[in-house]
Amino acid sequence: MLLPLYLATALFLAPPAPVAPKVDPAVVEYKLQWIKQALPVAAGEKPGEPVLLSSPATSSVDRQLLSVSIGDKNGDSFALSLSPTVEPADNSVTAPDGSLVKKKTATVLTLWTLKVSDKTFPGNISRVELAGSTRLALGDDKDVIVASFSLSDPKTGATMQYRLMGRAKIGDLARTP
C-alpha cells in the first residue's frame, strides 16, 4: 500500500533529466566535376582526353539533402542529390572484407542519386539513373570518384566513360534558430 505512494513521491521529487546541449550542424562544401572520356577501343590505345561537362560547387548541412540540377535547351540534364554525414576521425569503418579499420582522418559519408539525360550518349541510350554512397576524406586535395558509368556503342564498339569526381570540406557551422 505504501509502495505506490513512495514511488509517486520519488518521481515527483526526482531532478529533471539533463538536456543535451544544442549543437550547430556542420556545413559540408562540395567541389564536383562531371567528366566524360573516350576509352580505348583496342589494346594498347590511349584513352581520349577527359572533357569537363560541368563543375558545380555546392554545400549542404550535415545530414540534410541537397539537390543540384543543370539542364539545357536541348533537353539534356544532370540532376544530383547528395546527403552528407560527417564522421569523426576516431570512428572505425567496415572494410570490404568485413574487418574493422580505424580511420585516420574525418570523412563525409555521402549518399547520392544521379540522373542524367543526354542525347549524345552512345548506343541509343538517353537516360541513366544511379544511386550509391561514397566516403570522402576531409581535407584531401585529390578528387575522388563519387559515381561512374560507361556506355558502349554496339555498332562502333566505342566506349564512353562518365565520372562524377569530387572532394569535400567542412565550412562554417549552420546556426540553428
Side-chain angles (χ1 to χ4, degrees), residues 16 19 41 43 58 67-68 71 74-75 85 93 98 101-102 116 128 137 144 154 167:
V19 177
V41 176
T58 189
S67 293
V68 175
N74 299 326
T85 300
V93 295
V101 178
K102 194 79 161 170
V116 184
V128 174
V144 174
R167 64 179 85 170

Side-chain angles (χ1 to χ4, degrees), residues 23-30 58-66 82-88 91 103 106-111 134 136 138 168-176:
V23 178
D24 293 328
V27 173
V28 179
E29 297 175 356
Y30 289 97
T58 189
S59 62
S60 180
V61 176
D62 185 25
R63 300 179 192 269
Q64 296 296 314
L65 182 66
L66 158 78
L82 302 168
S83 180
T85 300
V86 178
E87 302 174 314
N91 262 356
K103 294 186 310 178
T107 58
V108 176
L109 176 63
T110 303
L111 304 178
T134 304
L136 302 169
L138 290 171
K169 73 175 192 172
I170 297 295
D172 294 331
L173 297 179
R175 301 292 174 211
T176 54

Side-chain angles (χ1 to χ4, degrees), residues 93-176:
V93 295
T94 304
D97 65 0
S99 64
L100 284 179
V101 178
K102 194 79 161 170
K103 294 186 310 178
K104 296 180 179 136
T105 62
T107 58
V108 176
L109 176 63
T110 303
L111 304 178
W112 53 265
T113 59
L114 175 66
K115 297 176 184 178
V116 184
S117 296
D118 193 331
K119 292 183 176 108
T120 65
F121 280 158
N124 292 328
I125 294 173
S126 62
R127 183 175 178 93
V128 174
E129 295 185 24
L130 299 171
S133 66
T134 304
R135 191 168 267 116
L136 302 169
L138 290 171
D140 197 352
D141 290 336
K142 294 184 335 185
D143 286 331
V144 174
I145 295 177
V146 176
S148 175
F149 63 91
S150 298
L151 299 173
S152 296
D153 188 335
K155 294 178 184 174
T156 65
T159 301
M160 191 67 68
Q161 183 183 56
Y162 296 84
R163 294 185 306 267
L164 179 64
M165 306 290 291
R167 64 179 85 170
K169 73 175 192 172
I170 297 295
D172 294 331
L173 297 179
R175 301 292 174 211
T176 54

Side-chain angles (χ1 to χ4, degrees), residues 31-70:
K31 285 188 178 180
L32 303 168
Q33 294 182 333
W34 179 236
I35 298 168
K36 77 175 180 178
Q37 183 176 20
L39 296 180
V41 176
E45 288 184 5
K46 291 187 176 188
E49 286 296 316
V51 176
L52 179 64
L53 301 173
S54 178
S55 57
T58 189
S59 62
S60 180
V61 176
D62 185 25
R63 300 179 192 269
Q64 296 296 314
L65 182 66
L66 158 78
S67 293
V68 175
S69 200
I70 301 169

